[in-house]
Each structure stands twice: as C-alpha cells, then as structure tokens.
Amino acid sequence: MSDENVDLVNRFHRETFQHGNFSVGDELLSSDFRWHGGMGQGTNQSGPESVKQIASAISTAFPDREITHLETIALGDKVIIQWSMTGTHQGPLLGIPPSNKLIMVTGSDSFRIADGKIGELSQEMDQLDLVRQLRG
C-alpha cells in the first residue's frame, strides 16, 4: 500500500504544482480534503477547490518554477515529501507585485491517504523567508 500511496502523492504534487494541471485534484483528493498551512492562504483550507486556488497563485507568480523532491517517506497511510522550489517572481504573490527575483524555498508536505485518495495535507515552509526574498 505504501508504494501506491507514494505514487498517488507524487502524481498529485507534480501534476498540480509543477505542471499546472489543477483539475487533477478532482480525481485524487477526497471531497472532504483539508489543507493546513497552505502558502499564503491561511490554515485549514478545505476541498479540492482550495488546491486549485493556491496552485494557480503559485503558477502565476512563478511560471518558470522547478520543484524538486528531496526525500519521500511513506509509512502506512502517511506520505511525507521534503521539497524545494526555485523560480522567478513574475506575478503577484502574498500581496507583493512581481520583482523578477529568483527565489528558492524549501518545505515539507505531509499527506494522509484514505480510501485511495488524499484526505489531508499539512504543509510546513518558511513563508517569512519567501517574503524576504521577494522584497529583498
């Protein structure tokens, strides 16, 4: 089951955030999906629509983004991805207009899988560092 969970999470992460295929969430996320700590969107976002909004904001802000999975850990119904993202700030984000600065941010996403779908995502990243890079 862990391999299937890793495949599910990798597909979601890459399709949604790297490739901008926002509709993949409709297939891979549970209807009661919860996102805790999403970038600049506060906490406890719910439903696949919340993912589309956040992923769209990231895609607009960093159209040349490159997301790298540094490490993936799976145990039972949990999958954790440590990741990094680089990109050029070419669209508004967090109320900050485009700066054309190259940024690099790291974080970790902890997913909970239930009945073959992603039910929950808890994200940790240093948003203060991101804002400092954008405003630099």
Side-chain angles (χ1 to χ4, degrees):
M1 184 56 112
S2 287
D3 286 343
E4 291 173 7
N5 290 348
V6 168
D7 291 345
L8 173 72
V9 167
N10 279 335
R11 179 173 173 222
F12 166 74
H13 217 241
R14 288 200 169 99
E15 286 289 321
T16 304
F17 295 100
Q18 180 62 52
H19 302 299
N21 179 5
F22 310 134
S23 64
V24 77
D26 295 332
E27 175 188 346
L28 304 179
L29 303 174
S30 67
S31 60
D32 61 346
F33 170 81
R34 301 288 296 183
W35 184 338
H36 309 281
M39 184 188 304
Q41 305 297 317
T43 58
N44 299 321
Q45 300 292 316
S46 62
E49 202 58 39
S50 66
V51 172
K52 291 176 187 176
Q53 292 170 358
I54 295 168
S56 178
I58 293 167
S59 179
T60 298
F62 306 105
D64 65 343
R65 71 201 167 281
E66 184 66 38
I67 299 170
T68 303
H69 289 182
L70 305 171
E71 184 172 17
T72 302
I73 301 167
L75 184 61
D77 67 345
K78 302 265 192 228
V79 177
I80 299 169
I81 296 177
Q82 293 179 324
W83 52 267
S84 68
M85 182 184 82
T86 58
T88 308
H89 183 214
Q90 298 177 37
L93 185 69
L94 304 173
I96 302 170
S99 65
N100 290 314
K101 294 180 180 174
L102 181 64
I103 63 94
M104 197 281 284
V105 64
T106 60
S108 65
D109 291 351
S110 176
F111 296 88
R112 183 185 51 78
I113 312 301
D115 300 322
K117 296 207 176 212
I118 300 170
E120 189 171 18
L121 165 57
S122 296
Q123 185 177 74
E124 296 291 330
M125 64 172 285
D126 189 346
Q127 289 190 41
L128 180 58
D129 180 54
L130 174 61
V131 169
R132 285 181 181 150
Q133 290 181 61
L134 296 176
R135 291 195 173 155

